[in-house]
Amino acid sequence: MTFNFNMQAGKRRAKTTTMAEGEELIELRFRIYDGIDIAHGTYEASITVSTLKQRIIAEWPQGKTVTPKSIHDLKLIHAGKVLENNKTLADSRITVGDLPLGVITMHVVVQPSKAKQKTGSSSSLS
């Protein structure tokens, strides 16, 4: 993993790295509800959001009171948008731009699936 930095007006501008085949790599970290960053790494732009969620679940810290059980319990948020499971990072327009050091922080929201509720009515009107 290498990043090239250009100093312009005192700011660092990061350029994404490309693999030999021309695949763009993006450095990501995922911030969970208590401010801890997990699954920090470099990912291919062609990776799907659902694959990222699987990695987040695999690296979820032990002992947390809120723990996702499936990818459907997680929402990834970047630039104010909730990312869709079937889209890739490239489809979601995740780019490095003018970010310091080229690391993108995505926020992870856990919304556990609601327990199945009984559809029967317990009260009746007369």
Side-chain angles (χ1 to χ4, degrees), residues 30-94:
F30 302 90
R31 185 155 299 157
I32 63 175
Y33 62 91
D34 60 358
I36 293 175
D37 292 340
I38 61 173
H40 185 186
T42 303
Y43 299 89
E44 295 178 5
S46 61
I47 193 170
T48 63
V49 172
S50 60
T51 303
L52 285 174
K53 288 181 177 183
Q54 289 170 352
R55 176 148 182 207
I56 290 168
I57 291 170
E59 293 190 22
W60 196 263
Q62 298 295 317
K64 296 289 180 191
T65 55
V66 177
T67 303
K69 292 179 177 57
S70 77
I71 65 169
H72 302 292
D73 294 346
L74 294 178
K75 293 193 183 307
L76 293 184
I77 301 171
H78 173 67
K81 295 180 183 174
V82 176
L83 304 183
E84 297 177 34
N85 286 342
N86 60 340
K87 295 210 173 175
T88 65
L89 290 178
D91 294 340
S92 301
R93 299 179 188 259
I94 306 301

Side-chain angles (χ1 to χ4, degrees), residues 1 8 11 13 15 21 28 30 38 46-47 61 75 79 86 92-93 106 112 114:
M1 163 181 66
Q8 293 178 348
K11 291 183 179 179
R13 287 188 60 148
K15 294 180 182 177
E21 304 85 41
L28 300 174
F30 302 90
I38 61 173
S46 61
I47 193 170
K75 293 193 183 307
N86 60 340
S92 301
R93 299 179 188 259
M106 290 192 186
K114 303 230 188 241

Side-chain angles (χ1 to χ4, degrees), residues 5-14 98-100:
F5 295 101
N6 294 329
M7 295 303 286
Q8 293 178 348
K11 291 183 179 179
R12 289 182 181 182
R13 287 188 60 148
D98 287 328
L99 298 174

Side-chain angles (χ1 to χ4, degrees), residues 1-6 13-19 22-28 42-45 89 94-99 101-104:
M1 163 181 66
T2 59
F3 283 89
N4 299 318
F5 295 101
N6 294 329
R13 287 188 60 148
K15 294 180 182 177
T16 56
T17 336
T18 55
M19 296 173 52
E23 180 68 45
E24 183 179 20
L25 299 176
I26 302 172
E27 187 172 359
L28 300 174
T42 303
Y43 299 89
E44 295 178 5
L89 290 178
I94 306 301
T95 58
V96 175
D98 287 328
L99 298 174
L101 302 178
V103 179
I104 296 172

